[in-house]
């Protein structure tokens, strides 16, 4: 489990929980990074050392992947 950065509120204003992403290591030796719903963070640069096979990110109006 890795850090994700965003607000977590539900439509009614209630807390939505802590944001998180995941680095998944498969039995076939693949490494997958699932960013979750996060902003760009400097910690992502550390993942370059992991030799990722896949990176799954979230893009919308407010995030960094334009």
């Amino acid at each position: 489990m890795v850090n994700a950065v965003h607000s977590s509120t539900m439509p009614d204003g209630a807390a939505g929980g802590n944001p998180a992403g995941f680095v998944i290591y498969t039995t076939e030796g693949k490494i997958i990074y699932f960013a979750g719903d996060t902003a760009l963070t400097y910690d992502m640069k550390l993942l370059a050392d992991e030799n990722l096979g896949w990176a799954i990110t979230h893009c919308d109006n407010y995030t960094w992947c334009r």
Side-chain angles (χ1 to χ4, degrees), residues 9-22:
T9 54
M10 303 301 282
D12 67 357
N18 293 321
F22 296 91

Side-chain angles (χ1 to χ4, degrees), residues 4-25:
V5 180
H6 68 85
S7 58
S8 284
T9 54
M10 303 301 282
D12 67 357
N18 293 321
F22 296 91
V23 177
I24 303 164
Y25 298 86

Side-chain angles (χ1 to χ4, degrees), residues 13-35:
N18 293 321
F22 296 91
V23 177
I24 303 164
Y25 298 86
T26 69
T27 57
E28 294 86 18
K30 305 274 187 209
I31 303 172
I32 303 165
Y33 169 54
F34 176 71

Side-chain angles (χ1 to χ4, degrees), residues 7-62:
S7 58
S8 284
T9 54
M10 303 301 282
D12 67 357
N18 293 321
F22 296 91
V23 177
I24 303 164
Y25 298 86
T26 69
T27 57
E28 294 86 18
K30 305 274 187 209
I31 303 172
I32 303 165
Y33 169 54
F34 176 71
D37 184 7
T38 188
L40 180 63
T41 68
Y42 192 79
D43 290 350
M44 289 176 176
K45 191 171 186 174
L46 300 173
L47 292 170
D49 296 336
E50 292 293 320
N51 195 23
L52 298 174
W54 289 89
I56 303 167
T57 61
H58 173 81
C59 299
D60 66 13
N61 246 4
Y62 307 103

